[in-house]
Amino acid sequence: MTKHPKYGSKEPRIIPRAKHNVTRAEFSRSALKVLYRLHEAGYQAFLVGGCVRDAMLELHPKDFDVATDATPEEVRALFGNCRLIGRRFRLAHVRFGREIIEVATFRAAAIGEHDDHHSDEEGRIIRDNVYGTIDEDVWRRDFTCNALYYNIADFSIWDYTGGFEDIKAKRIVLIGDPGKRMREDPVRMLRAIRFAAKLGFEIDDAVIGAIDRHAGLLPNVPAARLFEEFLKLFQAGKAERTFDLLRDHGLFREMFPATDEELGKDAGFMRFTRAALRNTDRRIRQGKSVTPMFLLGVFLWQPIRKLAAIRRSGEKMSESQSLALAAYEIVAGQQRRISIPKRFTVPMREMLSLQPRFEFKRGKRAMKLLDHRRFRAAYDFMVLLADVGLASKETAGFWTDVQTQSAAERAKSFEIGQPRGTGQRRRPRRRRRRKPARKP
Ligand code: ATP
Ligand code: MG
């Protein structure tokens, strides 16, 4: 029987424990428990993918994927805390408190996934799910750095694709024919960028070539999956680097067409976007929370602002109203590429339409902005605009100061309860034409 000779060697290179740096201390106790129990029951049990790669790089992996020759049902029989998920490909989730260890049975590439696939006498077809052996499982993985298997039986690493050397050389290399693998699943283009940014790896020329040729396939990916990828791309602490790589290779344009167009036209918007990306990275470094709606708001700000100006011209509506209206339209267009859940679009729209209200600094209504549930995000957004010269520094300073003032100081700042004519601009008084006195 021949096995994808095109994709590499059939026999793994086995790197014994003494020849690699992967220690069990890099793996969670739960992951080790799962491995040991499978092993004791007589099954093969490996850690695979990102966790082996990250352990080699001493990056303290947080999620663990186990690969085994036990079927999902056999896995479930071993663990009380186990649930089977997935219709097409059944996976076992073994739960330990909040941690979930994903256990997958070795699979051969689905029929049709590689046109040189020979269906295998060991592989069983269950729905369209083909169970296989480890030396089949490896070829459906994306990059060589994601295709190392750590064997709990003797702590060795099994390498079929050259991933061990590629990690040491910091290279992102696709398994198999790059063009074909990108066409099979265009998300792999984003994954190449993500790993390059996260790990500081160089992307192999053949992979770059395939991305440059196939970037236009990205819109074929379901919008919900692209949202998941968007989160991973921009919330991993390397958002700015990721942004540059995505733009360099024509992928950002496919994800955020309206944003990309404005970035090309407007240096100020580019400065603002970069400031936001750096800010996101800094917050993650400091262990602070980040919400995707903030960055989405930044990306869509310029398209929304421009459309708002158009919608407002000749209409009787406030700037805030026009921003809210334009946000609906722009977000609807964006959803065709990346489906953003309502729990992010609603606060995002609020954050953006509050922007004009920072200009009003007098009176009770102006002060009430401090109590708005979206004040914090809107304020951060405005400060960032001010940082890059797109909002008034004085306004930003005002709203920074009033947050820490006492009630009395604050009332003074907003000129509440003060006599008129103390220097502040008066609202022009509406003149009412007096009716001519009627003659009796
Ligand atoms: P991280 O967890 O840091 O995002 P990872 O490499 O663990 O990185 P996962 O999405 O958790 O990525 O996937 C686990 C493994 O499954 C990968 O290492 C890879 O071997 C395989 N894999 C995931 N997505 C794909 C894909 N789109 N095509 C081929 N193989 C994939
Ligand atoms: Mg992972």
Side-chain angles (χ1 to χ4, degrees), residues 144-361:
T144 60
C145 62
N146 286 346
L148 294 180
Y149 294 77
Y150 174 89
N151 187 1
I152 199 65
D154 60 2
F155 317 126
S156 63
I157 289 175
W158 290 25
D159 179 11
Y160 288 85
T161 66
F164 192 71
E165 297 305 325
D166 287 338
I167 290 176
K168 286 204 272 188
K170 298 187 173 290
R171 280 192 300 251
I172 306 278
V173 178
L174 207 41
I175 298 173
D177 176 66
K180 198 162 146 195
R181 302 299 315 278
M182 292 309 191
R183 286 193 299 275
E184 273 170 13
D185 181 5
V187 164
R188 290 174 186 149
M189 298 189 278
L190 300 180
R191 290 174 57 88
I193 302 292
R194 175 154 71 86
F195 296 130
K198 169 181 162 176
L199 307 169
F201 280 24
E202 198 78 38
I203 306 175
D204 177 50
D205 284 342
V207 179
I208 292 283
I211 294 175
D212 291 344
R213 280 196 309 282
H214 296 302
L217 295 179
L218 210 58
N220 298 346
V221 175
R225 187 160 174 225
L226 278 190
F227 181 72
E228 295 304 314
E229 285 303 316
F230 160 79
L231 294 180
K232 291 185 190 171
L233 283 162
F234 288 100
Q235 301 195 344
K238 290 283 190 295
E240 194 184 14
R241 175 96 188 101
T242 301
F243 171 78
D244 284 330
L245 287 170
L246 289 174
R247 271 179 46 91
D248 287 350
H249 299 292
L251 291 165
F252 191 77
R253 185 175 61 212
E254 302 298 336
M255 299 177 79
F256 293 97
T259 305
D260 195 70
E261 197 185 321
E262 295 302 330
L263 285 169
K265 288 196 277 201
D266 189 326
F269 182 46
M270 179 61 97
R271 275 204 313 281
F272 177 51
T273 303
R274 280 196 182 286
L277 291 162
R278 272 198 291 270
N279 191 42
T280 302
D281 289 342
R282 189 168 48 241
R283 288 185 66 96
I284 289 170
R285 258 198 317 280
Q286 295 168 343
K288 292 188 188 164
S289 68
V290 292
T291 158
M293 76 93 174
F294 191 85
L295 208 49
L296 287 166
V298 170
F299 285 172
L300 299 179
W301 174 236
Q302 188 77 343
I304 288 172
R305 230 169 50 96
K306 282 186 128 179
L307 184 62
I310 294 168
R311 292 288 174 264
R312 193 163 62 245
S313 69
E315 296 289 327
K316 245 180 118 193
M317 76 171 87
S318 72
E319 214 180 327
S320 287
Q321 283 171 321
S322 70
L323 284 168
L325 189 72
Y328 264 112
E329 285 186 54
I330 297 290
V331 168
Q334 180 60 49
Q335 302 277 26
R336 285 199 283 274
R337 296 292 165 99
I338 300 181
S339 73
I340 309 161
K342 255 214 175 89
R343 66 179 186 282
F344 300 124
T345 59
V346 171
M348 184 192 89
R349 215 166 41 233
E350 288 176 347
M351 172 179 83
L352 299 184
S353 52
L354 284 182
Q355 293 306 310
R357 285 186 53 184
F358 288 111
E359 289 307 320
F360 300 101
K361 296 168 220 158

Side-chain angles (χ1 to χ4, degrees), residues 111-138:
I111 292 169
E113 200 169 313
H114 302 303
D115 49 22
D116 58 348
H117 177 86
H118 299 283
S119 122
D120 181 324
E121 61 269 28
E122 292 150 309
R124 284 182 287 150
I125 297 172
I126 296 178
R127 286 167 218 152
D128 59 350
N129 185 355
V130 186
Y131 293 135
T133 56
I134 182 170
D135 57 351
E136 293 169 315
D137 190 81
V138 60

